Amino acid sequence: MTTIAGTTAETGTRAAAPLGRMLAAEVRWVFRRPRTLVTLGLFALIPILIAIGVVVADRSGGGGLIGAVAGNGLVLPIAALTVALALLLPLAVAMAAADAIAGEAANGTLRGLLLAPVSRLRLVGVKAFGVLVVAAATTLTIAVVGVLAGMVVVGSADGGMVTLSGTTLGLGAGLARVALVAVWVVGQLAAVGAVALAVSSLTEHPLVVLASVLGGLIAFGVLGAIPALDWLQPWLLTSGWSAGADALRDPITLDAMGSSTLRALCYAAIGVGFAVWRMQRRDA
Amino acid sequence: MAVGTAGRLWARIGTGVAIAGAVGLGLVAVPAGAGAAPNLPPVSPEDLVASVEKANPGPLNGTVELDNALGLPAIPGAPDLANGTKDARVWSDGAGKGRVALPSAQGEKTLVSDGTTAWSYDSTDRTATKKAVTPGEHRPEAADPTRSAADAIAKLRTTSTVSVDGTAEVAGRPAYELVLAPKPTERTLLREVRIAVDSEKRIPLRLTVLATGSSDPALEVGFTDVTFGPQDPSLFTFTPPPGTTVKEAPQGGPDHGTNGGKPTVVGDGWDAVVIAKRPAQEQPSQGAPDLSRLGTPVSGSWGSGRLITTAVASAIVTDDGRVAAGAVPQQVLTEALSK
């Protein structure tokens, strides 16, 4: 809403505005929304809650990634990211994508953006960048708070990370593994965001974007769980989402993360391509 | 708003990008088909078998996939035996040291042997088990296609027709397909065992078990990728990480768990039947599969019991505590029990 005032007032200068300034304006616009900040704050709670849960619970209890966190704090960010990737992180990204185009249409501010002498391609690019920034910010929040909570609340084994293979990595190597998972998660979220942006370019109701992204993820989860449909697995974006645990193996295996990243790139291309095509024809 | 020329161009480019994404997704999703059978100089079955027995591949690492379609009934307490595929990552220094990682979705079992001490580490309960091994002893490394294929060749050679049936590409390497088929006198449920032997290193890369009346393998274990070359020596040592429960494995040697007496083998080759005494049932050991409710009741001059059949093997658990099993039809089992 603030932007529309700016857009109309600065129409002449906007045409010549460098891309960097447009991207900065979009990022400021994204972070000025209270819901973005509230989301980031809530996401920071996820690793903290897991850390407290692990410390309070009996150390021997629990398998899975959360079980591996006990006494091994550097696993916490990876476990928290894996947990959040299932639904919460896609929700945050879908929210940003819904606001980006459908939200502007619902507010009536999209017309101004479309009339401004800014190419439609550039508009989609700037909006996609805004979604990517939200994906990176939420992931980074969980990763950083996860590392801190892991080191402070859970404590780490000899200052390093114990892998699932029973070896101990130093602090630097452990942090590198966390960073790798964070980058991989952002890649997966970029795919979700691109598809959400495509849906967003089709509608003027932000809720439709949220519903279709979350509904789609749940449908993918259901399809992936049916044994008779296992031939479908390589097509589903969600089927590689447990690959984050591979970063905890020593020697590390990158096959699953690599193939799911390739798949995410394809989904991102489909989503962005469709959004570009659709926005060229969109009137308001 | 009218769509300008540039807009039309970008719309087209957008469509192109979306289509490229869809095509790329297809390329990622559909696995590369097996390449054409490689052209290799012909080799006689005898030479191939002899070279397999002499083969020394040296250090290697790779990924092994086990595809189990044995059709074992669901056994409580032993879910690992159910149909499905499993992966293992293996490292070997070629001189008795080895490492095997059995990944699960959120954990891993690691087996490390440095030639004198074997460690097994389970990440789900964070226990490490230590066991002394005598050098040269066959380590019970699960799913080792090299070992199991070499064993199969040694056991089945005399009662089989051995032939070389073309070539195949396994884990990106050209390989000869060595086929062991039972001689007509053998009464077995198996049709043939195919072993893909690496053309250069002469080690078995894949073992496939085919049952009569089915074109799909009942069991296949083989490398999906393999690399020959020196391995990092630190892979073959293990130090229990902090927070680990360390246990010593009972030093029972290889005969541990056979408190029911040594099993006897009736017949040889493909229709060999193994008859074992079931351990006394005073307290069912934890984790041992419960077989008492499986199968169909059968009886005969040898007594009565329950028959369990799978795609490649049958077993009879008799009421007087014997277990007869083999890759044979029921009749062969009952004959062996009557002896």
Side-chain angles (χ1 to χ4, degrees):
Chain A
M1 281 162 267
T2 13
T3 350
I4 185 66
T7 317
T8 41
E10 299 169 25
T11 300
T13 53
R14 264 311 261 275
L19 190 62
R21 241 177 73 193
M22 286 178 68
L23 296 179
E26 176 71 16
V27 170
R28 239 177 288 132
W29 170 226
V30 164
F31 282 104
R32 210 175 293 151
R33 282 184 216 129
R35 53 179 168 274
T36 310
L37 301 175
V38 171
T39 309
L40 286 178
L42 287 175
F43 276 31
L45 285 179
I46 297 174
I48 296 176
L49 287 178
I50 297 179
I52 294 172
V54 165
V55 171
V56 169
D58 184 17
R59 280 198 161 203
S60 62
L65 274 188
I66 304 281
V69 173
N72 193 9
L74 275 180
V75 175
L76 176 63
I78 293 176
L81 281 173
T82 305
V83 168
L85 182 60
L87 221 49
L88 288 171
L89 282 169
L91 174 69
V93 172
M95 247 169 70
D99 282 330
I101 299 177
E104 301 261 21
N107 289 337
T109 47
L110 185 64
R111 182 175 296 272
L113 292 177
L114 291 178
L115 289 175
V118 174
S119 88
R120 299 285 176 94
L121 180 74
R122 195 170 261 220
L123 180 65
V124 174
V126 169
K127 289 299 183 187
F129 178 75
V131 175
L132 193 61
V133 165
V134 171
T138 45
T139 307
L140 199 67
T141 306
I142 295 184
V144 170
V145 176
V147 169
L148 295 178
M151 300 298 262
V152 175
V153 183
V154 181
S156 67
D158 291 354
M161 172 199 269
V162 177
T163 62
L164 292 178
S165 311
T167 54
T168 311
L169 300 176
L171 180 63
L175 289 176
R177 300 285 177 104
V178 174
L180 173 72
V181 173
V183 170
W184 170 77
V185 166
V186 173
Q188 302 299 309
L189 292 177
V192 175
V195 173
L197 207 61
V199 180
S200 190
S201 70
L202 278 174
T203 176
E204 49 196 41
H205 304 288
L207 208 57
V208 172
V209 181
L210 282 184
S212 44
V213 168
L214 292 189
L217 285 179
I218 293 167
F220 273 23
V222 171
L223 290 176
I226 299 175
L229 296 179
D230 57 359
W231 53 269
L232 209 58
Q233 291 271 9
W235 296 85
L236 301 178
L237 181 63
T238 49
S239 58
W241 280 6
S242 56
D246 283 355
L248 295 171
R249 306 187 197 282
D250 193 35
I252 192 167
T253 166
L254 295 172
D255 296 359
M257 273 194 263
S259 66
S260 54
T261 300
L262 277 181
R263 199 179 306 140
L265 282 177
C266 294
Y267 270 90
I270 295 174
V272 170
F274 186 86
V276 167
W277 172 79
R278 168 68 194 145
M279 286 309 285
Q280 300 294 347
R281 282 164 168 69
R282 184 151 179 161
D283 283 336
Chain B
M1 181 177 159
V3 180
T5 328
R8 212 169 289 138
L9 175 66
W10 280 114
R12 227 174 265 159
I13 289 175
T15 320
V17 170
I19 291 172
V23 171
L25 188 61
L27 291 178
V28 175
V30 179
N39 270 326
L40 294 171
V43 64
S44 76
E46 294 75 27
D47 289 352
L48 191 56
V49 169
S51 64
V52 169
E53 284 166 354
K54 286 202 299 269
N56 179 17
L60 64 90
N61 73 327
T63 310
V64 174
E65 188 181 77
L66 169 73
D67 191 349
N68 176 355
L70 292 175
L72 286 175
I75 300 172
D80 284 353
L81 298 174
N83 282 7
T85 61
K86 265 174 211 75
D87 279 330
R89 301 164 72 203
V90 296
W91 294 263
S92 163
D93 78 336
K97 297 183 186 180
R99 183 187 186 97
V100 178
L102 303 166
S104 57
Q106 303 201 314
E108 188 167 299
K109 267 202 183 99
T110 309
L111 313 169
V112 182
S113 169
D114 64 2
T116 52
T117 314
W119 285 93
S120 79
Y121 176 76
D122 187 346
S123 78
T124 50
D125 54 5
R126 291 203 214 170
T127 50
T129 313
K130 186 181 174 186
K131 190 180 177 212
V133 288
T134 44
E137 180 194 341
H138 287 172
R139 299 175 306 284
E141 280 173 7
D144 179 352
T146 311
R147 166 80 40 226
S148 45
D151 283 353
I153 294 176
K155 280 208 189 91
L156 298 174
R157 245 179 103 179
T158 51
T159 53
S160 306
T161 329
V162 184
S163 60
V164 179
D165 181 20
T167 59
E169 199 181 81
V170 179
R173 297 182 64 88
Y176 292 104
E177 285 266 33
L178 183 70
V179 179
L180 298 162
K183 285 188 174 157
T185 51
E186 301 286 307
R187 296 173 300 171
T188 172
L189 294 172
L190 299 180
R191 179 152 56 90
E192 61 187 30
V193 170
R194 304 180 75 90
I195 297 163
V197 178
D198 189 282
S199 62
E200 180 201 339
K201 300 279 183 178
R202 295 298 166 94
I203 63 157
L205 292 177
R206 185 176 66 195
L207 171 79
T208 312
V209 178
L210 290 138
T212 3
S214 167
S215 57
D216 292 327
L219 184 76
E220 187 166 79
V221 52
F223 284 103
T224 51
D225 75 84
V226 61
T227 314
F228 297 95
Q231 302 297 317
D232 182 356
S234 68
L235 284 170
F236 307 117
T237 58
F238 185 83
T239 317
T244 306
T245 322
V246 178
K247 287 193 286 201
E248 291 272 344
Q251 290 293 332
D255 59 358
H256 100 102
T258 51
N259 47 347
K262 218 173 161 57
T264 52
V265 178
V266 180
D268 66 340
W270 296 79
D271 51 10
V273 174
V274 179
I275 301 181
K277 270 274 187 222
R278 229 169 355 148
Q281 287 280 329
E282 68 265 9
Q283 93 269 6
S285 65
Q286 206 189 2
D290 175 19
L291 300 172
S292 59
R293 299 235 177 276
L294 294 173
T296 48
V298 283
S299 60
S301 56
W302 46 271
S304 63
R306 305 183 79 84
L307 170 74
I308 300 160
T309 54
T310 70
V312 294
S314 326
I316 292 180
V317 183
T318 66
D319 296 340
D320 59 359
R322 290 179 297 165
V323 180
V328 293
Q330 179 192 350
Q331 195 199 349
V332 182
L333 286 182
T334 53
E335 279 173 21
L337 281 169
S338 321
K339 276 182 189 165

